[in-house]
Structure formats: C-alpha cells, structure tokens
Amino acid sequence: MNFEDFIISPRNFKTESWQIGNRITKDIKEDSIVLLFVSDYRGSKGEAEVQDFTAIRKEFYKLSQLDFEIPLVDLGDLVSGKSVQDSHYILQEVLSACHYKRAIPIIIGGSNDFAFSLFSALNFHKKNINYTQISNVISLKQGENINEHTFLSKMFGTKDFSIKNYHHLGYQKHLNEVDSVRLIKEVEFDIIRLAEMMNSTEKTEPFFRKTDLVTVNCDAIESFGEPFSMNPQVNGLNRREICAYMKEIGLSENLKSVGIFNYNIYSENQLNHQLLAQMIWYLIEGINIQHSHPKERHYEIFYVLIDDRQYAFKRDTFSNLWYFGDDENIENCIPCSRKDFDEAKKGWLNARLTKI
C-alpha cells in the first residue's frame, strides 16, 4: 500500500540545531518513534475534514532535542476515509507497517475510538496485550457502529483479540454509569480514580511499567480557558501531572504503541498547543531514557510475613522500582510500588497483588 495516497506530508519548519525539529525525518525507520496526526473526529460527533496541525508542530519542533538518540519520524497527517471504518482500516495499515519495523507509533488527534485500531494492529503482531487507558469515562455501550462509547466493548468482545491486562486510570465517579464500572471490576481489571493519580505518579506507575499499549483521552485533562479536549472538563489531571504521566508512559519496558485522542483540534489557544506539544515531548523523553537503561538487571529480595504467610518483594537496584513475587523470572512478578511494600510490612497486602 502506498502511504502517499492517504498521508499528507508535513511542511518543513526552520529550526535551530539544538531543537527537536532539526532531527525529524519523514520516512519510517527501524526502531524509531513515528508521529502521525489524525483529523477524523466522527467517533466523538465531530468532523472528518483534514485539519491543520501546523500550530502544534511549531510548538513541538522548537523544543529541545536534548541527547535523544532514537530516530524521530513525522509521517504527516492521515486523510480521513469515506467512512469511520475506512479511517480505521487505513490507520491499521500504517500501524502495522510501523510494527514490522519495530517502530513505536504515536497517534495524535482523532476521536477516542481509534484506540480500537491501535489494539487491533498490535494484536496482529503480538498476543496477550497489556493495555492501559487514561480516560475520565468508562463506556461499555453496545452498538453496530464504532465510536468513543462502543469501542471498548468491541475490543473486549472480539474473539480474535488477546488482552492480558487492562488498566483504566483517571475515571471520575460522577461521569460514569455504575454498571460499566461494576462490570470492569467483576472481570478483575484495574480501575483507578482521578483522585488517586493527583500530585504524584508513584501509586499508578506500576500500571505503565509492563504495558504494550497506552491511550490517553484528552477529556481526562482539565481545561483552562479555551477547551483542551472535545468534551472539556473542569476537573482532570493538570498540566504538570499529565506531562509527568506521559514520561511514565515512555518509560514502559514493553511500549509498542501510543494514542493521544480527543484533543480539541479546533482550538486557537496557543497554550493548548503548547501543552499537547510538551506531552509528546515528555513521552519521547521517557522512551529515550528507557532505551538507555542496561538490559541486565539485578534485584534485592525482601520477605514479609503476614498472617503466618510469607510474601516476597523485589527491588530493581538500578531503577529502584519494586515487584511482587519470588519467581526467578521477573516477567512473572507483578510491578508494584514502594508504598505496597511498606504497607505489607504493616500487615496490609494490596488485593491487586494476589488476584492472579
């Protein structure tokens, strides 16, 4: 498939040698980071016409490239298909091309239902996917058409899809149907409220550490002045918190695909464009940091006795990150936080650690 038929190449910007725009290329490379902007918002009752992402690119391209080493690609803007299904199909083809080259695609813009395409494309190349979503809403509505309300139920209900873990972070109780929340809990997926994510990433970092796919619904970010998202909210993660979480996403040891959806592309507010650009930048910083970590790790093991039963915790001596379990293969241990270990010493073991 010729991508030139449905991707508009980005325009060139004059940048300084120290700026990140100076190192961006336009062709998918092996082991690279690939940016692709999407204009189709029909899944959130928006439009599908090609939008101008120039203002966002200007803000992003002028940020520092620091000592980043991973090749960075800006493919351009995806032309929407005649139908929503067409857009999903085209996007999946581009994503698959990235996965074949072990590139990490970052999809920016479009409605939240494009998470389905990210999962579908990745599922073709990998089974037992760990998926983490940051979103203020959990919607499991049924429907023939795919949109931001039905994509999650379609994802869970597709027989060929292989999902190992699903973590839903940032939901707000007053915006959600009780039945959807209850159903997610019944199948023992993790749900974390917004209040538990504020001020520090420590508690929720374990949900990103081994994840393969992360999608961010911009509705989970608070709006200031002009709406930041398609469904703006007065409450949500603030500017500093979302950037900190984007870095945590990049630090995932298994990250293969990222989506940032429901951004208010119709916004003319420069601060909104700056925030989105910096979210992308912190994500890229995290990916570069993770790739600089040593492949061989060493662990300290600590045993805790609770009700006459012994439990093991491990600490990575390089990263200072914690795991639960005594399996020799760290992949079979559960990522956890230092707080989980400290609470275990007091006699309280997080139920999440024993449900498997």
Side-chain angles (χ1 to χ4, degrees):
M1 182 177 286
N2 188 355
F3 291 164
E4 293 180 359
D5 294 338
F6 48 84
I7 294 180
I8 301 173
S9 183
R11 56 175 288 193
N12 296 318
F13 294 94
K14 186 177 180 180
T15 55
E16 302 292 336
S17 60
W18 60 273
Q19 293 176 323
I20 200 167
N22 194 57
R23 67 190 309 272
I24 291 177
T25 59
K26 298 182 180 180
D27 297 310
I28 302 175
K29 292 179 171 58
E30 291 189 354
D31 302 305
S32 62
I33 299 170
V34 179
L35 307 181
L36 179 65
F37 293 78
V38 177
S39 297
D40 194 336
Y41 282 81
R42 284 175 287 189
S44 58
K45 298 181 180 180
E47 304 296 332
E49 287 81 3
V50 173
Q51 300 296 326
D52 186 1
F53 291 93
T54 300
I56 299 167
R57 282 191 172 94
K58 282 183 177 179
E59 294 297 334
F60 175 68
Y61 278 35
K62 68 184 182 182
L63 299 176
S64 173
Q65 62 174 290
L66 290 185
D67 54 355
F68 297 164
E69 295 184 352
I70 300 176
L72 183 58
V73 179
D74 186 350
L75 272 188
D77 305 338
L78 190 74
V79 177
S80 302
K82 185 175 181 180
S83 67
V84 174
Q85 288 74 17
D86 291 338
S87 292
H88 278 271
Y89 172 77
I90 296 169
L91 178 57
Q92 288 173 39
E93 290 295 313
V94 178
L95 291 166
S96 189
C98 292
H99 294 316
Y100 274 120
K101 293 193 174 184
R102 300 182 307 277
I104 300 176
I106 301 174
I107 309 305
I108 303 142
S111 47
N112 204 38
D113 52 285
F114 281 104
F116 183 89
S117 283
L118 270 65
F119 192 97
S120 180
L122 184 55
N123 186 76
F124 181 79
H125 295 266
K126 182 187 186 301
K127 304 303 178 184
N128 296 320
I129 295 172
N130 291 305
Y131 172 33
T132 300
Q133 180 182 191
I134 297 178
S135 179
N136 58 339
V137 173
I138 303 171
S139 179
L140 294 174
K141 290 184 178 180
Q142 304 287 328
E144 181 179 348
N145 296 324
I146 186 168
N147 56 51
E148 64 179 354
H149 303 295
T150 63
F151 82 90
L152 204 54
S153 62
K154 289 182 179 294
M155 189 181 296
F156 292 152
T158 300
K159 293 181 180 179
D160 295 334
F161 280 3
S162 176
I163 185 166
K164 182 178 181 180
N165 289 305
Y166 173 66
H167 310 302
H168 194 111
L169 312 183
Y171 98 101
Q172 299 180 37
K173 288 197 296 184
H174 57 280
L175 299 176
N176 283 275
E177 296 181 26
V178 175
D179 290 344
S180 293
V181 176
R182 183 184 296 119
L183 183 57
I184 293 289
K185 290 181 178 179
E186 285 177 356
V187 295
E188 296 190 331
F189 288 145
D190 296 296
I191 299 179
I192 303 298
R193 291 177 54 203
L194 170 65
E196 299 178 76
M197 298 181 68
M198 298 169 66
N199 301 320
S200 172
T201 62
E202 180 182 1
K203 183 173 183 178
T204 47
E205 177 277 329
F207 298 116
F208 297 108
R209 197 182 310 167
K210 297 291 184 179
T211 196
D212 303 292
L213 166 65
V214 181
T215 62
V216 178
N217 181 355
C218 288
D219 298 344
I221 303 167
E222 67 179 16
S223 288
F224 50 97
E226 187 175 344
F228 182 74
S229 70
M230 294 299 291
N231 305 297
Q233 298 295 325
V234 66
N235 285 311
L237 295 169
N238 66 31
R239 289 162 281 181
R240 296 173 183 83
E241 289 165 345
I242 190 57
C243 287
Y245 277 109
M246 296 306 294
K247 184 174 180 178
E248 292 292 356
I249 294 169
L251 287 169
S252 166
E253 298 171 10
N254 300 327
L255 188 66
K256 295 175 180 64
S257 196
V258 180
I260 305 172
F261 302 123
N262 272 10
Y263 174 71
N264 180 17
I265 188 55
Y266 310 111
S267 172
E268 296 181 359
N269 188 333
Q270 183 182 6
L271 295 181
N272 281 346
H273 301 325
Q274 279 186 5
L275 177 56
L276 180 59
Q278 292 181 26
M279 286 168 58
I280 299 167
W281 188 91
Y282 277 102
L283 171 63
I284 292 171
E285 182 193 30
I287 296 172
N288 275 272
I289 292 173
Q290 177 56 236
H291 279 242
S292 71
H293 286 177
K295 300 301 180 183
E296 185 176 343
R297 301 292 183 87
H298 301 282
Y299 302 90
E300 290 182 321
I301 188 166
F302 303 86
Y303 292 99
V304 177
L305 195 64
I306 302 176
D307 297 330
D308 297 326
R309 184 172 178 180
Q310 183 174 269
Y311 298 94
F313 287 82
K314 292 182 178 181
R315 185 183 72 87
D316 186 324
T317 58
F318 174 80
S319 65
N320 202 32
L321 297 177
W322 289 77
Y323 297 83
F324 175 80
D326 58 1
D327 196 295
E328 290 185 2
N329 184 357
I330 198 65
E331 295 298 323
N332 296 327
C333 297
I334 303 173
C336 65
S337 66
R338 172 61 191 258
K339 185 178 180 181
D340 290 324
F341 171 64
D342 290 339
E343 290 180 340
K345 290 192 296 182
K346 298 176 182 177
W348 187 84
L349 189 65
N350 190 330
R352 178 180 68 86
L353 303 179
T354 58
K355 71 180 182 181
I356 299 178

